[in-house]
PDB file of all heavy atoms in Angstrom:
ATOM      1  N   HIS A  54      -4.487   2.767   7.529  1.00  0.00           N
ATOM      2  CA  HIS A  54      -4.247   2.515   8.959  1.00  0.00           C
ATOM      3  C   HIS A  54      -4.005   3.834   9.667  1.00  0.00           C
ATOM      4  O   HIS A  54      -3.958   4.888   9.028  1.00  0.00           O
ATOM      5  CB  HIS A  54      -3.100   1.522   9.158  1.00  0.00           C
ATOM      6  CG  HIS A  54      -1.755   1.995   8.711  1.00  0.00           C
ATOM      7  ND1 HIS A  54      -1.436   2.194   7.380  1.00  0.00           N
ATOM      8  CD2 HIS A  54      -0.639   2.332   9.410  1.00  0.00           C
ATOM      9  CE1 HIS A  54      -0.180   2.599   7.298  1.00  0.00           C
ATOM     10  NE2 HIS A  54       0.326   2.705   8.513  1.00  0.00           N
ATOM     11  N   HIS A  55      -3.840   3.801  10.987  1.00  0.00           N
ATOM     12  CA  HIS A  55      -3.904   5.030  11.773  1.00  0.00           C
ATOM     13  C   HIS A  55      -2.628   5.861  11.826  1.00  0.00           C
ATOM     14  O   HIS A  55      -2.649   6.984  12.334  1.00  0.00           O
ATOM     15  CB  HIS A  55      -4.366   4.717  13.206  1.00  0.00           C
ATOM     16  CG  HIS A  55      -3.376   3.932  14.020  1.00  0.00           C
ATOM     17  ND1 HIS A  55      -2.316   4.530  14.672  1.00  0.00           N
ATOM     18  CD2 HIS A  55      -3.274   2.602  14.299  1.00  0.00           C
ATOM     19  CE1 HIS A  55      -1.617   3.601  15.313  1.00  0.00           C
ATOM     20  NE2 HIS A  55      -2.173   2.413  15.101  1.00  0.00           N
ATOM     21  N   HIS A  56      -1.500   5.375  11.327  1.00  0.00           N
ATOM     22  CA  HIS A  56      -0.252   6.136  11.478  1.00  0.00           C
ATOM     23  C   HIS A  56      -0.342   7.521  10.831  1.00  0.00           C
ATOM     24  O   HIS A  56      -0.911   7.678   9.754  1.00  0.00           O
ATOM     25  CB  HIS A  56       0.922   5.351  10.891  1.00  0.00           C
ATOM     26  CG  HIS A  56       1.297   4.162  11.735  1.00  0.00           C
ATOM     27  ND1 HIS A  56       1.999   3.081  11.243  1.00  0.00           N
ATOM     28  CD2 HIS A  56       1.062   3.893  13.045  1.00  0.00           C
ATOM     29  CE1 HIS A  56       2.180   2.198  12.218  1.00  0.00           C
ATOM     30  NE2 HIS A  56       1.614   2.662  13.319  1.00  0.00           N
ATOM     31  N   GLY A  57       0.303   8.491  11.501  1.00  0.00           N
ATOM     32  CA  GLY A  57       0.215   9.889  11.080  1.00  0.00           C
ATOM     33  C   GLY A  57       0.697  10.138   9.661  1.00  0.00           C
ATOM     34  O   GLY A  57       0.171  11.010   8.968  1.00  0.00           O
ATOM     35  N   ASP A  58       1.690   9.377   9.208  1.00  0.00           N
ATOM     36  CA  ASP A  58       2.201   9.599   7.850  1.00  0.00           C
ATOM     37  C   ASP A  58       1.207   9.134   6.784  1.00  0.00           C
ATOM     38  O   ASP A  58       1.450   9.289   5.589  1.00  0.00           O
ATOM     39  CB  ASP A  58       3.587   8.948   7.652  1.00  0.00           C
ATOM     40  CG  ASP A  58       3.595   7.446   7.857  1.00  0.00           C
ATOM     41  OD1 ASP A  58       2.968   6.961   8.826  1.00  0.00           O
ATOM     42  OD2 ASP A  58       4.242   6.744   7.046  1.00  0.00           O
ATOM     43  N   HIS A  59       0.053   8.593   7.219  1.00  0.00           N
ATOM     44  CA  HIS A  59      -1.008   8.170   6.290  1.00  0.00           C
ATOM     45  C   HIS A  59      -2.320   8.920   6.530  1.00  0.00           C
ATOM     46  O   HIS A  59      -3.270   8.724   5.784  1.00  0.00           O
ATOM     47  CB  HIS A  59      -1.243   6.660   6.405  1.00  0.00           C
ATOM     48  CG  HIS A  59      -0.013   5.859   6.104  1.00  0.00           C
ATOM     49  ND1 HIS A  59       0.172   5.160   4.931  1.00  0.00           N
ATOM     50  CD2 HIS A  59       1.140   5.705   6.810  1.00  0.00           C
ATOM     51  CE1 HIS A  59       1.365   4.594   4.939  1.00  0.00           C
ATOM     52  NE2 HIS A  59       1.972   4.911   6.076  1.00  0.00           N
ATOM     53  N   THR A  60      -2.363   9.729   7.593  1.00  0.00           N
ATOM     54  CA  THR A  60      -3.645  10.346   7.999  1.00  0.00           C
ATOM     55  C   THR A  60      -3.567  11.842   8.310  1.00  0.00           C
ATOM     56  O   THR A  60      -4.610  12.477   8.477  1.00  0.00           O
ATOM     57  CB  THR A  60      -4.179   9.657   9.279  1.00  0.00           C
ATOM     58  OG1 THR A  60      -3.212   9.821  10.332  1.00  0.00           O
ATOM     59  CG2 THR A  60      -4.432   8.176   9.071  1.00  0.00           C
ATOM     60  N   ALA A  61      -2.350  12.404   8.396  1.00  0.00           N
ATOM     61  CA  ALA A  61      -2.214  13.779   8.910  1.00  0.00           C
ATOM     62  C   ALA A  61      -2.889  14.824   8.019  1.00  0.00           C
ATOM     63  O   ALA A  61      -3.174  15.928   8.475  1.00  0.00           O
ATOM     64  CB  ALA A  61      -0.746  14.118   9.133  1.00  0.00           C
ATOM     65  N   GLY A  62      -3.151  14.486   6.753  1.00  0.00           N
ATOM     66  CA  GLY A  62      -3.820  15.445   5.865  1.00  0.00           C
ATOM     67  C   GLY A  62      -5.340  15.395   5.919  1.00  0.00           C
ATOM     68  O   GLY A  62      -6.021  16.227   5.306  1.00  0.00           O
ATOM     69  N   ASN A  63      -5.894  14.423   6.640  1.00  0.00           N
ATOM     70  CA  ASN A  63      -7.357  14.235   6.657  1.00  0.00           C
ATOM     71  C   ASN A  63      -8.139  15.517   6.939  1.00  0.00           C
ATOM     72  O   ASN A  63      -9.033  15.896   6.178  1.00  0.00           O
ATOM     73  CB  ASN A  63      -7.768  13.226   7.746  1.00  0.00           C
ATOM     74  CG  ASN A  63      -7.578  11.778   7.343  1.00  0.00           C
ATOM     75  OD1 ASN A  63      -6.947  11.486   6.331  1.00  0.00           O
ATOM     76  ND2 ASN A  63      -8.118  10.865   8.138  1.00  0.00           N
ATOM     77  N   ALA A  64      -7.820  16.156   8.085  1.00  0.00           N
ATOM     78  CA  ALA A  64      -8.671  17.250   8.570  1.00  0.00           C
ATOM     79  C   ALA A  64      -8.669  18.428   7.596  1.00  0.00           C
ATOM     80  O   ALA A  64      -9.730  18.962   7.262  1.00  0.00           O
ATOM     81  CB  ALA A  64      -8.211  17.675   9.962  1.00  0.00           C
ATOM     82  N   ALA A  65      -7.474  18.810   7.115  1.00  0.00           N
ATOM     83  CA  ALA A  65      -7.393  19.964   6.210  1.00  0.00           C
ATOM     84  C   ALA A  65      -8.118  19.680   4.894  1.00  0.00           C
ATOM     85  O   ALA A  65      -8.804  20.551   4.349  1.00  0.00           O
ATOM     86  CB  ALA A  65      -5.934  20.320   5.950  1.00  0.00           C
ATOM     87  N   LEU A  66      -7.998  18.466   4.377  1.00  0.00           N
ATOM     88  CA  LEU A  66      -8.653  18.121   3.106  1.00  0.00           C
ATOM     89  C   LEU A  66     -10.164  18.034   3.274  1.00  0.00           C
ATOM     90  O   LEU A  66     -10.924  18.467   2.416  1.00  0.00           O
ATOM     91  CB  LEU A  66      -8.098  16.794   2.566  1.00  0.00           C
ATOM     92  CG  LEU A  66      -6.650  16.859   2.069  1.00  0.00           C
ATOM     93  CD1 LEU A  66      -6.116  15.448   1.811  1.00  0.00           C
ATOM     94  CD2 LEU A  66      -6.546  17.693   0.793  1.00  0.00           C
ATOM     95  N   LYS A  67     -10.596  17.481   4.415  1.00  0.00           N
ATOM     96  CA  LYS A  67     -12.039  17.399   4.669  1.00  0.00           C
ATOM     97  C   LYS A  67     -12.626  18.798   4.792  1.00  0.00           C
ATOM     98  O   LYS A  67     -13.695  19.084   4.247  1.00  0.00           O
ATOM     99  CB  LYS A  67     -12.297  16.600   5.947  1.00  0.00           C
ATOM    100  CG  LYS A  67     -13.770  16.433   6.289  1.00  0.00           C
ATOM    101  CD  LYS A  67     -13.947  15.550   7.505  1.00  0.00           C
ATOM    102  CE  LYS A  67     -15.405  15.521   7.946  1.00  0.00           C
ATOM    103  NZ  LYS A  67     -15.599  14.583   9.070  1.00  0.00           N
ATOM    104  N   GLU A  68     -11.892  19.684   5.474  1.00  0.00           N
ATOM    105  CA  GLU A  68     -12.400  21.050   5.652  1.00  0.00           C
ATOM    106  C   GLU A  68     -12.485  21.786   4.325  1.00  0.00           C
ATOM    107  O   GLU A  68     -13.460  22.466   4.032  1.00  0.00           O
ATOM    108  CB  GLU A  68     -11.488  21.810   6.620  1.00  0.00           C
ATOM    109  CG  GLU A  68     -12.014  23.214   6.927  1.00  0.00           C
ATOM    110  CD  GLU A  68     -11.165  23.904   7.974  1.00  0.00           C
ATOM    111  OE1 GLU A  68     -11.403  23.644   9.157  1.00  0.00           O
ATOM    112  OE2 GLU A  68     -10.271  24.677   7.596  1.00  0.00           O
ATOM    113  N   LYS A  69     -11.472  21.594   3.464  1.00  0.00           N
ATOM    114  CA  LYS A  69     -11.444  22.329   2.188  1.00  0.00           C
ATOM    115  C   LYS A  69     -12.479  21.796   1.195  1.00  0.00           C
ATOM    116  O   LYS A  69     -13.092  22.560   0.473  1.00  0.00           O
ATOM    117  CB  LYS A  69     -10.035  22.244   1.581  1.00  0.00           C
ATOM    118  CG  LYS A  69      -9.825  23.078   0.326  1.00  0.00           C
ATOM    119  CD  LYS A  69      -8.353  23.124  -0.046  1.00  0.00           C
ATOM    120  CE  LYS A  69      -8.113  23.726  -1.430  1.00  0.00           C
ATOM    121  NZ  LYS A  69      -8.406  25.153  -1.527  1.00  0.00           N
ATOM    122  N   TYR A  70     -12.656  20.484   1.155  1.00  0.00           N
ATOM    123  CA  TYR A  70     -13.483  19.891   0.096  1.00  0.00           C
ATOM    124  C   TYR A  70     -14.777  19.240   0.588  1.00  0.00           C
ATOM    125  O   TYR A  70     -15.599  18.808  -0.220  1.00  0.00           O
ATOM    126  CB  TYR A  70     -12.682  18.836  -0.673  1.00  0.00           C
ATOM    127  CG  TYR A  70     -11.484  19.386  -1.395  1.00  0.00           C
ATOM    128  CD1 TYR A  70     -10.197  19.209  -0.898  1.00  0.00           C
ATOM    129  CD2 TYR A  70     -11.634  20.090  -2.602  1.00  0.00           C
ATOM    130  CE1 TYR A  70      -9.088  19.718  -1.556  1.00  0.00           C
ATOM    131  CE2 TYR A  70     -10.536  20.591  -3.275  1.00  0.00           C
ATOM    132  CZ  TYR A  70      -9.263  20.400  -2.752  1.00  0.00           C
ATOM    133  OH  TYR A  70      -8.169  20.909  -3.420  1.00  0.00           O
ATOM    134  N   GLY A  71     -14.911  19.100   1.914  1.00  0.00           N
ATOM    135  CA  GLY A  71     -16.090  18.387   2.431  1.00  0.00           C
ATOM    136  C   GLY A  71     -16.073  16.907   2.100  1.00  0.00           C
ATOM    137  O   GLY A  71     -17.125  16.266   2.016  1.00  0.00           O
ATOM    138  N   ALA A  72     -14.873  16.347   1.908  1.00  0.00           N
ATOM    139  CA  ALA A  72     -14.759  14.928   1.526  1.00  0.00           C
ATOM    140  C   ALA A  72     -15.165  14.016   2.686  1.00  0.00           C
ATOM    141  O   ALA A  72     -15.021  14.366   3.851  1.00  0.00           O
ATOM    142  CB  ALA A  72     -13.318  14.628   1.118  1.00  0.00           C
ATOM    143  N   LEU A  73     -15.684  12.844   2.318  1.00  0.00           N
ATOM    144  CA  LEU A  73     -16.084  11.827   3.300  1.00  0.00           C
ATOM    145  C   LEU A  73     -14.849  11.001   3.675  1.00  0.00           C
ATOM    146  O   LEU A  73     -14.168  10.467   2.793  1.00  0.00           O
ATOM    147  CB  LEU A  73     -17.138  10.924   2.662  1.00  0.00           C
ATOM    148  CG  LEU A  73     -17.878   9.959   3.585  1.00  0.00           C
ATOM    149  CD1 LEU A  73     -18.921  10.705   4.421  1.00  0.00           C
ATOM    150  CD2 LEU A  73     -18.554   8.863   2.768  1.00  0.00           C
TER     151      LEU A  73
END
Side-chain angles (χ1 to χ4, degrees):
H54 65 291
H55 68 83
H56 288 159
D58 60 317
H59 301 255
T60 60
N63 280 11
L66 290 169
K67 181 176 173 176
E68 184 175 277
K69 186 170 169 69
Y70 297 103
L73 191 76

